[in-house]
């Protein structure tokens, strides 16, 4: 009788998770493939203005051209490469810096931990885009500045999460036993804390990847991203806003690209949580 009740609940859960993960893989793979192809081949150079101003989609220009006569598909492909580069770079910075700061806070004395936590709360209270704009304003607009700015802005979120998770692990009995046996702090971190918090951190970093993509598009839209002739989705949206009624593809294409990538990494994060959460694994 119990088995008859549990089986129907497990099947819908399995059916519900699989499409989410597959959609995430497909959406993300589309952008990754497009970015990979742009490393070796582009339909037209980004400086080629021979296509005519605001040309409609055609066999020569599949998405048409912008107001300067540049091929939109070529810009979209390079924009995918920039979005992935900024997302990966910013997440790497946030992972290294945030994890290190969070672990340091978890092992710190109570008064220092409280002061550090209060500082993190202040930083997190500011939007990622605002903090990134401040850093870019000091460093100057460039691709490297965008990666550094977004990574630093997101590191506070990762630091707070790492601190919470690490302190929870430090209260476990096996950590107490390790300390009693003389295990050094570095050994506790590498053998007990990081293996236990890594799955949750991976999910959070995957979600932060989407935040980084949106932040990069916003910076580029404001003219604070990678300078020309580099193409980015945010700059494409900014340049197309004046001609959206006469040539809507110039605004629709980069907008859809941003949505596809952000949805893809968020669906992947949701699928990753399904595999790393023990309670969800048992329901599969």
């Amino acid at each position: 009788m119990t088995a008859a009740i549990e089986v129907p609940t497990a099947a819908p859960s399995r059916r519900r998770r699989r499409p989410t993960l597959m959609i995430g893989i497909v959406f993300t793979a589309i952008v990754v493939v497009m970015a990979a192809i742009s490393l070796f081949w582009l339909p037209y150079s980004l400086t080629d203005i021979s296509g005519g101003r605001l040309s409609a989609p055609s066999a020569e220009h599949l998405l048409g051209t912008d107001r300067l006569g540049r091929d939109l598909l070529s810009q979209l492909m390079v924009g995918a490469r920039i979005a992935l580069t900024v997302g990966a770079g910013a997440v790497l910075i946030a992972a290294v810096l945030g994890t290190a700061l969070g672990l340091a806070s978890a092992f710190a004395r109570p008064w220092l931990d409280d002061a550090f936590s209060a500082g993190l709360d202040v930083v997190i209270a500011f939007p990622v885009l605002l903090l990134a704009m401040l850093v870019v304003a000091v460093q100057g607009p460039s691709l490297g500045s965008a990666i550094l700015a977004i990574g630093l802005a997101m590191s506070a979120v990762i630091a707070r999460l790492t601190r919470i998770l690490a302190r929870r692990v430090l209260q476990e009995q096996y950590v107490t036993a390790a300390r009693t046996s003389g295990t050094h702090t570095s050994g506790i971190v590498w053998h007990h804390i990081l293996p236990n918090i890594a799955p949750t951190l991976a999910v959070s970093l995957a979600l932060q990847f989407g935040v980084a993509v949106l932040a990069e598009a916003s910076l580029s839209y404001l003219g604070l991203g990678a300078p020309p002739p580099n193409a980015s989705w945010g700059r494409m949206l900014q340049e197309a806003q004046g001609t959206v009624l006469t040539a809507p593809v110039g605004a629709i294409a980069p907008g859809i690209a941003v949505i596809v990538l952000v949805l893809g990494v968020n669906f992947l994060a949701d699928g990753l949580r399904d595999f790393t959460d023990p309670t969800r694994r048992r329901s599969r």
Side-chain angles (χ1 to χ4, degrees), residues 8-23 267 270-271 274 280 283:
T9 58
S13 177
R14 185 166 57 250
R15 288 196 300 267
R16 185 171 57 253
R17 285 195 296 269
R18 284 180 177 175
T20 300
L21 181 60
M22 290 306 300
I23 291 173
F267 284 150
D270 185 63
D274 289 339
R280 291 175 180 249
S283 65

Side-chain angles (χ1 to χ4, degrees), residues 152-226:
L152 291 176
M154 295 191 309
S155 61
V157 178
I158 302 302
R160 184 172 68 172
L161 177 62
T162 302
R163 170 190 170 275
I164 295 173
L165 296 175
R167 289 184 66 86
R168 187 179 302 169
V169 174
L170 287 173
Q171 296 175 358
E172 297 294 336
Q173 293 183 356
Y174 57 84
V175 175
T176 303
R179 282 175 165 174
T180 304
S181 64
T183 304
H184 195 266
T185 301
S186 60
I188 293 176
V189 170
W190 286 106
H191 297 102
H192 298 290
I193 295 180
L194 288 180
N196 282 282
I197 71 175
T200 304
L201 283 181
V203 174
S204 180
L205 289 171
L207 293 173
Q208 292 300 313
F209 190 101
V211 175
V213 171
L214 290 175
E216 186 279 327
S218 301
L219 288 175
S220 297
Y221 183 87
L222 297 173
L224 299 176

Side-chain angles (χ1 to χ4, degrees), residues 14-49:
R14 185 166 57 250
R15 288 196 300 267
R16 185 171 57 253
R17 285 195 296 269
R18 284 180 177 175
T20 300
L21 181 60
M22 290 306 300
I23 291 173
I25 293 175
V26 171
F27 279 12
T28 307
I30 290 173
V31 179
V32 171
V33 170
M34 187 165 54
I37 293 175
S38 71
L39 294 172
F40 308 101
W41 175 82
L42 287 174
Y44 295 90
S45 171
L46 295 182
T47 57
D48 187 349
I49 57 174

